[in-house]
Amino acid sequence: MHIDLTQRVAVVTGGANGIGRATARRLAQSGARVAIWDRVAALGNSVAAELASEGLEVVFVEADVTQRDSVEAAVTATVARFGGIDILINNAGVTRDAQLVKIKDGAVTGGMTDDEFDTVIAVNLKGVYTCTQAVVPELLKRGGGRIVNASSVVALNGNFGQTNYVATKAGVIGMTQVWARELGKRNITVNAIAPGFIATEMTARMPASALEAMQAHTPAGRLGSPEDVANAYCFLASEFAAYINGAVLTVDGGLVIGT
């Protein structure tokens, strides 16, 4: 299967690291012109320059997905550079893990803070809403397009210490299905990716014992790579996925069935 995204313009939020970086490269290798949206300008410019040195058409646009003004400015900058937008990959995400209530010897000793909860909601859930709402008018101008959102397998089964993260990723599935209904008639498909445990900077901060346990429960016998997820994003952004709408594609090596 040869995916050809020539003349397509793609936005990848959180594109300066991990899965986002691999996705920007994969889309550009398929011919897309790619705008990396990220908060960290130094890193984003460095990644864009690295990919451009490989002969890929990639630019960095500074954007904070939690701020509507920043997102709207990023849309304007992307359209000014490339003439429009065809593909939106809502990849940006953060974690702030903590137990809902931490109990020791029968007494409450701590728990998730409001700041930890609100930060994850702002990026992982509201950020997807804000970016999608801002980009859809540009997709309509092009006669349609593709939106692919980042969920997670933890949205399906929960995960210890991730009340905030799981809530956002379950919410993303719900929004994906609503938007698939609302936008499908406009030739815009909306789907979600649900990665398992992928070897990125985010999972590197997890305890080694937790990662080993997840790997042991994964039928594929390994953690995923950013490229595994990037390939799925690229497929759902392509014409091969033209009749896939409102779907959640797990990219987890079988983790969901292995647990």
Side-chain angles (χ1 to χ4, degrees):
M1 180 186 293
H2 174 66
I3 294 175
D4 184 2
L5 299 177
T6 302
Q7 300 305 313
R8 299 292 184 182
V9 177
V11 167
V12 181
T13 70
N17 276 301
I19 292 170
R21 180 175 181 168
T23 300
R25 174 180 273 113
R26 182 69 180 86
L27 293 172
Q29 287 173 337
S30 295
R33 293 172 289 170
V34 179
I36 290 174
W37 288 8
D38 210 289
R39 292 179 59 185
V40 185
L43 181 58
N45 280 313
S46 174
V47 171
E50 175 190 335
L51 298 181
S53 73
E54 298 173 12
L56 305 176
E57 194 167 0
V58 178
V59 298
F60 170 71
V61 177
E62 188 170 356
D64 181 346
V65 301
T66 70
Q67 302 298 318
R68 182 170 294 275
D69 288 349
S70 179
V71 169
E72 291 177 348
V75 170
T76 299
T78 301
V79 172
R81 176 66 176 81
F82 290 133
I85 300 173
D86 303 285
I87 298 163
L88 171 62
I89 307 295
N90 278 311
N91 170 77
V94 297
T95 58
R96 298 289 187 276
D97 294 351
Q99 293 178 50
L100 176 66
V101 178
K102 193 171 183 179
I103 302 171
K104 185 176 181 180
D105 298 328
V108 174
T109 60
M112 182 172 288
T113 66
D114 286 349
D115 182 64
E116 289 167 338
F117 185 85
D118 292 343
T119 295
V120 175
I121 295 292
V123 176
N124 297 7
L125 188 63
K126 190 174 181 181
V128 173
Y129 157 80
T130 302
C131 289
T132 303
Q133 194 173 57
V135 168
V136 162
E138 298 303 326
L139 301 184
L140 293 173
K141 292 175 186 177
R142 308 278 269 196
R146 302 279 185 268
I147 299 169
V148 192
N149 301 321
S151 182
S152 170
V153 292
V154 302
L156 308 176
N157 293 315
N159 197 39
F160 188 92
Q162 289 194 312
T163 294
N164 47 8
Y165 188 76
V166 170
T168 63
K169 296 308 183 180
V172 163
I173 291 175
M175 292 195 302
T176 295
Q177 294 171 340
V178 170
W179 298 340
R181 291 178 179 272
E182 293 182 351
L183 300 173
K185 65 178 113 178
R186 308 294 183 185
N187 196 33
I188 298 172
T189 64
V190 188
N191 294 291
I193 296 288
F197 285 84
I198 310 299
T200 65
E201 294 88 342
M202 186 180 293
T203 54
R205 293 192 292 269
M206 295 176 63
S209 58
L211 290 176
E212 289 169 2
M214 287 302 100
Q215 185 167 317
H217 283 294
T218 302
R222 65 174 176 87
L223 298 181
S225 71
E227 290 72 24
D228 289 324
V229 183
N231 287 333
Y233 271 136
C234 192
F235 166 70
L236 288 175
S238 76
E239 290 306 308
F240 290 107
Y243 201 58
I244 300 174
N245 193 27
V248 181
L249 175 60
T250 56
V251 185
D252 67 349
L255 177 64
V256 169
I257 62 170
T259 54

